[in-house]
C-alpha cells in the first residue's frame, strides 16, 4: 500500500523542485550552524543560493566516513545538547544526534516500507532484535502509527514463543536471526516476513530466499545515518530510495547520499561504499516515483 500518494507518487518536476528546496535549506543550515561544515567549506566560496539545478549539487565536495569519525560530535551538532532528544552510535561507528523533528521524520521514513508490506491495524507484528537499537525503535513506533499490534522480542527464543502464543501475522527480523529460526525448524512462521539488512554483501539473505523459493521484503538499516527505511523493496521487489528525504547520486559507481532534512547533524553528500546505479526515468509498477536503484552484492 502507498501510504502517502501525494509524496510517494509525486510527478518528477515537483520532486526535483522539492529536492532542490530542501537541499538548499539543508546546506544553508549546515553553513550557518555546523562547525564541521564551516571548517570543511572554508575558502571554497560555497553558497546555498548557487544550487539552482541538481547538477549544481555535484560541484560540492563529498563527505567521507573518515572525516565524520575524526570530527567531534559537538562540531557536527547545530545546537546545544539540550535540543537533542536522542543520541546513538550507528553500525559504522558514527555518532548521530536527533531533534524531536528528526525523530518524527525518521518514523515517517519507516512507515512507508511497512505500509508497502501491508502492516496495518489488522497486523500482529513481532519485531525481533536488540531493542537498544534506534533502528528497531523507529520501526516499532512506525508500526504503532499504522495501528499494528507490536510484540517486541529481544531474542530469537522469545520470538519463537510469541509466534505460537499470539498467532503473529508479520515478522521483522535480521537475516541472521531468521536463518537461526529456519535452522530450528520453527513450525509456523508468520506469512509476512520483512528482513532487516545493513550489508548488501551478506550472502545469508540469498540462502534464506532460496529456502522460501521467493524473494522477501527487505528494509535497509542505514549503517551511516542511524535509522531504517532509507532503502526498501516495494511490492514488486524493486529497490527504492526515499529521495524526498535523502537525495541519491552515483559518483564513480558509488552511492552518495545527502539527507535533506537532518536538523541536529546535517550531512552533505555522504560517500557510501555501496556500488550502485540509479534509474530515475521509469515509474515502478507499484506507482512510486522514488528513485529505483541497483545495488551490487
Amino acid at each position: 500500500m502507498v501510504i502517502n500518494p501525494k509524496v510517494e507518487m509525486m510527478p518528477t518536476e515537483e520532486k526535483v523542485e522539492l529536492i532542490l528546496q530542501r537541499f538548499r535549506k539543508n546546506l544553508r543550515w549546515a553553513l550557518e550552524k555546523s562547525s564541521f561544515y564551516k571548517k570543511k567549506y572554508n575558502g571554497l566560496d560555497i553558497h546555498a543560493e548557487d544550487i539552482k539545478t541538481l547538477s549544481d549539487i555535484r560541484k560540492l565536495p563529498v563527505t567521507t566516513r573518515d572525516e565524520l569519525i575524526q570530527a567531534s560530535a559537538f562540531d557536527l551538532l547545530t545546537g546545544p545538547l539540550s535540543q537533542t532528544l536522542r543520541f546513538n552510535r550507528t553500525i559504522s561507528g558514527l555518532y548521530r544526534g536527533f531533534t524531536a523533528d528528526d525523530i518524527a521524520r525518521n518514523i515517517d521514513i519507516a512507515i512507508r516500507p511497512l505500509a508497502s508490506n501491508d502492516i496495518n491495524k489488522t497486523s500482529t507484528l513481532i519485531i525481533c532484535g536488540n531493542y537498544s537499537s534506534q533502528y528497531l525503535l523507529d520501526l516499532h513506533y512506525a508500526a504503532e502509527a499504522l495501528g499494528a499490534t507490536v510484540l517486541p522480542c529481544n531474542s530469537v527464543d522469545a520470538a519463537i514463543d510469541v509466534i505460537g502464543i499470539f498467532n503473529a501475522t508479520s515478522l521483522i527480523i535480521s537475516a541472521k536471526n531468521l536463518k537461526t529460526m529456519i535452522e530450528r525448524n520453527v513450525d509456523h512462521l508468520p506469512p509476512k516476513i520483512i528482513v532487516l539488512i545493513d550489508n548488501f554483501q551478506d550472502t545469508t539473505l540469498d540462502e534464506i530466499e532460496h529456502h522460501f523459493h521467493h524473494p522477501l521484503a527487505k528494509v535497509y538499516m542505514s549503517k551511516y545515518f542511524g535509522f531504517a527505511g532509507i532503502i526498501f523493496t516495494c511490492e514488486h521487489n524493486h529497490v527504492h530510495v526515499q529521495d524526498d528525504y535523502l537525495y541519491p547520486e552515483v559518483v564513480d559507481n558509488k552511492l552518495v547520499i545527502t539527507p535533506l532534512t537532518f536538523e541536529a547533524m546535517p550531512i552533505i553528500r555522504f560517500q557510501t561504499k555501496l556500488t550502485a546505479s540509479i534509474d530515475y526515468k521509469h515509474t515502478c509498477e507499484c506507482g512510486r516515483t522514488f528513485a529505483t536503484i541497483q545495488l551490487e552484492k
Side-chain angles (χ1 to χ4, degrees), residues 3-265:
I3 192 70
N4 188 347
K6 182 178 179 181
V7 174
E8 296 182 62
M9 304 171 79
M10 183 181 290
T12 302
E13 296 77 12
E14 292 181 33
K15 175 74 69 62
V16 169
E17 186 53 42
L18 176 65
I19 291 170
L20 287 171
Q21 177 186 342
R22 287 184 169 179
F23 191 100
R24 284 192 291 264
K25 182 178 179 180
N26 187 48
L27 179 58
R28 191 178 299 112
W29 182 254
L31 289 169
E32 292 176 1
K33 303 292 185 179
S34 169
S35 297
F36 172 82
Y37 278 104
K38 287 179 182 179
K39 295 173 185 175
K40 181 176 176 63
Y41 291 163
N42 183 37
L44 296 182
D45 195 30
I46 291 174
H47 306 280
E49 292 70 24
D50 295 335
I51 307 300
K52 295 181 172 59
T53 66
L54 294 181
S55 60
D56 290 333
I57 294 173
R58 300 180 74 88
K59 300 174 184 177
L60 301 178
V62 298
T63 302
T64 66
R65 174 183 175 275
D66 288 344
E67 287 179 293
L68 295 179
I69 285 285
Q70 293 167 12
S72 162
F74 292 98
D75 282 342
L76 295 167
L77 274 176
T78 59
L81 193 60
S82 59
Q83 293 179 3
T84 307
L85 265 63
R86 184 188 295 170
F87 249 101
N88 78 305
R89 193 169 188 266
T90 69
I91 297 168
S92 67
L94 300 178
Y95 283 96
R96 300 295 306 141
F98 300 88
T99 65
D101 286 341
D102 286 333
I103 292 171
R105 285 186 283 265
N106 290 356
I107 293 170
D108 188 41
I109 289 170
I111 281 174
R112 295 172 183 177
L114 297 190
S116 76
N117 285 285
D118 298 321
I119 303 301
N120 54 52
K121 63 183 179 181
T122 69
S123 302
T124 303
L125 170 66
I126 294 173
I127 299 180
C128 177
N130 184 347
Y131 253 72
S132 65
S133 164
Q134 174 167 320
Y135 308 97
L136 298 191
L137 285 176
D138 289 341
L139 289 164
H140 185 124
Y141 297 147
E144 289 181 337
L146 290 167
T149 300
V150 184
L151 306 168
C153 296
N154 282 315
S155 69
V156 172
D157 288 337
I160 291 172
D161 289 341
V162 166
I163 288 172
I165 294 171
F166 292 95
N167 195 27
T169 63
S170 308
L171 171 66
I172 295 179
I173 189 169
S174 70
K176 179 181 177 181
N177 284 342
L178 180 56
K179 183 179 179 181
T180 299
M181 280 192 176
I182 294 170
E183 290 172 345
R184 292 191 187 180
N185 295 314
V186 177
D187 292 334
H188 174 67
L189 288 173
K192 174 62 68 175
I193 298 175
I194 300 172
V195 183
L196 298 176
I197 58 173
D198 59 52
N199 183 356
F200 289 93
Q201 283 73 42
D202 188 352
T203 58
T204 304
L205 184 60
D206 294 331
E207 297 174 26
I208 292 169
E209 291 186 327
H210 179 75
H211 171 83
F212 286 105
H213 305 293
H214 63 78
L216 297 176
K218 293 170 277 289
V219 171
Y220 177 56
M221 300 186 298
S222 170
K223 63 173 65 178
Y224 308 110
F225 300 141
F227 58 88
I230 166 182
I231 298 171
F232 70 97
T233 54
C234 69
E235 301 89 327
H236 295 272
N237 200 42
H238 291 152
V239 182
H240 294 296
V241 56
Q242 300 199 46
D243 52 13
D244 62 317
Y245 277 130
L246 300 108
Y247 175 61
E249 309 169 69
V250 172
V251 179
D252 297 328
N253 295 322
K254 299 297 183 183
L255 185 65
V256 172
I257 290 184
T258 300
L260 297 172
T261 57
F262 276 11
E263 186 174 42
M265 287 182 166

